[in-house]
Amino acid sequence: MPPPPMIGHSFRSRDHYEVGREKIREFARAVQDFHPAHWDDATADTLGYPGLIAPVTFASATISAGQRDLLRTALGGYDPARLVQVEQEIHCHRPVVAGDRLTHEVTVDSWRTLSGGDIIALTTVIGALGAGPVQTVHTTLTGHGGTEGQRVSDIAKNIALQELPIPQREPFHTSRGNRPFPARPASKLSGKTPAGYRFPSRTFRLTRGELVNYAGVCGDLNPIHWSDDIARATGSPGVVTHGMLTMGLGAAALTSWVGHPAAILDYSTVFTHPVHVVTGRAAEIEFTGTVTAVELGASRATIALAAHCDGRSIVGRAAATVALGDQPIVF
C-alpha cells in the first residue's frame, strides 16, 4: 500500500476521551503499578491533584473507537493487523488525572517502504480541553508487506475483533473547575545521589491472561498478542507482548524507584526484541535502573533502564528523566 498523500498533515479527533477513575485503576492493575496515587483518592488529594493520577503510559488506553478511526485515517486505511510497534518516546507535560478530557492530534512524520515492509513514524499530541498539552508521543511502527503481510491480514479477518460501524458522536464539552496543578513533585532522588547508583531490580511475570487483560483494557486487540495462529504466521514461537505493556512495566518500576509517578519528566525506549509468551509458560521480565547523570542546576536526574527476558535484552536506549528531591535517597 502506498503512503498517504499528506505526510506532515495533522489529523485531529472530533471528540474527546474522558479519563475515568476506574479506568485508571484497571490500567494500573494491567501494568502491575500499585503506587497509591493510582488507586486511592485521598492519596491523590494529599499530593494536590483533583483526581487519581494515571500511570505514565496510560495514554495507550485512550485508543477508543474514535481514536482508532483517527489513526486509520492518518495512515490511509493501513491494516492495523500489519503494524508492530518498534520505538516509543513519551514527553510528559503534566500528569493525566481522572476527569481529564483528552484530545488527540496525529501527524504522520515519515513513511518509508523497504524490502518486505514499511517504517512509519508518527507524532501524537495529547491535550486536555482547556488545559493545553498533556503528552507528546513519538511512535515508530513497522508494517508487514508482501505475501507475509497479506497472510497475516487474511488470518486476522477470522480472528480479530470485527470492524463494525460506530455511530458518529458530536463533541460535547462542559466546564469543570480548573483546580491548579501543584509544582512538579520531587522524587526520592536528591542532589546527593551519586551517578552510578543502582536501584533494586524489579521482576514482572506475564501470563497469557495478562496479555488478554491488557488488550481488553487498552482496546488493542491486534491478534498477534493473543492468537497462536497469527504468531506462527509471523514466525514467532508464541504470542507477542504489547510493546506498551512492556514499557508500562518499566514505568511501574520507575515509579517504585522514584516514589511518585508525576516526578517522571520524560521516558523513552527502543524495543529491541519482542517478549514471547508461549503456551503453558509465563514470561518473566527483569528491570534494572542506574542513575547516569545528576543535574543540580536543572534539579533533575537521568536514569538508564535495562530489561531482560530469558537472558535476552529486550529494550535499548531506555531512559527516564526525573525531578530531584531535597532529601537523601531512602528506600
Side-chain angles (χ1 to χ4, degrees):
M1 177 181 293
M6 290 188 289
I7 299 293
H9 182 76
S10 296
F11 299 82
R12 297 183 179 181
S13 56
R14 281 180 50 79
D15 202 359
H16 64 269
Y17 178 97
E18 185 155 352
V19 179
R21 173 174 174 265
E22 299 309 320
K23 188 71 170 182
I24 289 177
R25 289 172 172 164
E26 289 175 0
F27 187 87
R29 167 62 185 87
V31 298
Q32 302 179 40
D33 192 340
F34 302 108
H35 190 284
H38 306 318
W39 296 84
D40 181 54
D41 294 296
T43 298
D45 183 72
T46 299
L47 294 172
Y49 289 85
L52 294 184
I53 302 172
V56 172
T57 58
F58 178 81
S60 61
T62 67
I63 308 301
S64 62
Q67 276 69 58
R68 284 196 294 273
D69 288 342
L70 175 68
L71 182 61
R72 189 177 295 106
T73 299
L75 295 178
Y78 202 94
D79 185 354
R82 297 189 180 194
L83 295 174
V84 176
Q85 201 169 21
V86 295
E87 187 170 0
Q88 187 87 349
E89 179 179 345
I90 303 171
H91 177 67
C92 306
H93 302 289
R94 58 94 158 159
V96 173
V97 297
D100 273 340
R101 295 177 175 186
L102 303 179
T103 61
H104 296 73
E105 179 178 293
V106 177
T107 302
V108 181
D109 299 318
S110 65
W111 186 311
R112 291 185 293 157
T113 299
L114 305 175
S115 176
D118 304 302
I119 300 177
I120 305 166
L122 307 173
T123 295
T124 302
V125 177
I126 302 170
L129 288 175
V134 173
Q135 288 186 349
T136 300
V137 181
H138 302 289
T139 307
T140 302
L141 304 166
T142 61
H144 294 289
T147 304
E148 180 186 356
Q150 188 58 52
R151 185 184 177 201
V152 170
S153 295
D154 290 343
I155 296 175
K157 288 178 183 178
N158 297 318
I159 298 176
L161 189 70
Q162 296 182 86
E163 293 290 347
L164 300 175
I166 303 297
Q168 293 295 315
R169 298 168 296 174
E170 291 298 320
F172 178 69
H173 303 157
T174 59
S175 61
R176 67 180 179 92
N178 290 324
R179 180 178 175 183
F181 280 79
R184 179 72 70 173
S187 71
K188 291 180 180 179
L189 293 138
S190 76
K192 298 180 181 179
T193 304
Y197 181 90
R198 295 187 178 185
F199 297 95
S201 65
R202 288 287 307 274
T203 298
F204 298 89
R205 186 172 180 269
L206 289 179
T207 64
R208 186 71 61 91
E210 298 286 348
L211 270 61
V212 173
N213 179 57
Y214 186 86
V217 169
C218 290
D220 180 354
L221 300 174
N222 186 333
I224 197 173
H225 302 305
W226 50 268
S227 167
D228 287 312
D229 289 337
I230 290 289
R232 294 190 189 103
T234 61
S236 296
V239 294
V240 178
T241 300
H242 303 71
M244 290 306 295
L245 173 53
T246 301
M247 194 173 183
L249 296 174
L254 273 170
T255 298
S256 69
W257 292 335
V258 304
H260 197 309
I264 300 170
L265 307 176
D266 295 281
Y267 175 33
S268 62
T269 190
V270 175
F271 304 104
T272 57
H273 192 274
V275 175
H276 299 113
V277 180
V278 300
T279 303
R281 183 168 69 88
E284 291 190 349
I285 305 175
E286 181 185 35
F287 285 87
T288 55
T290 304
V291 177
T292 58
V294 177
E295 301 175 61
L296 296 178
S299 191
R300 64 186 184 185
T302 302
I303 299 172
L305 291 89
H308 291 82
C309 181
D310 291 332
R312 186 193 298 264
S313 175
I314 60 172
V315 299
R317 301 202 307 271
T321 306
V322 301
L324 285 178
D326 295 323
Q327 301 300 319
I329 191 167
V330 176
F331 290 99

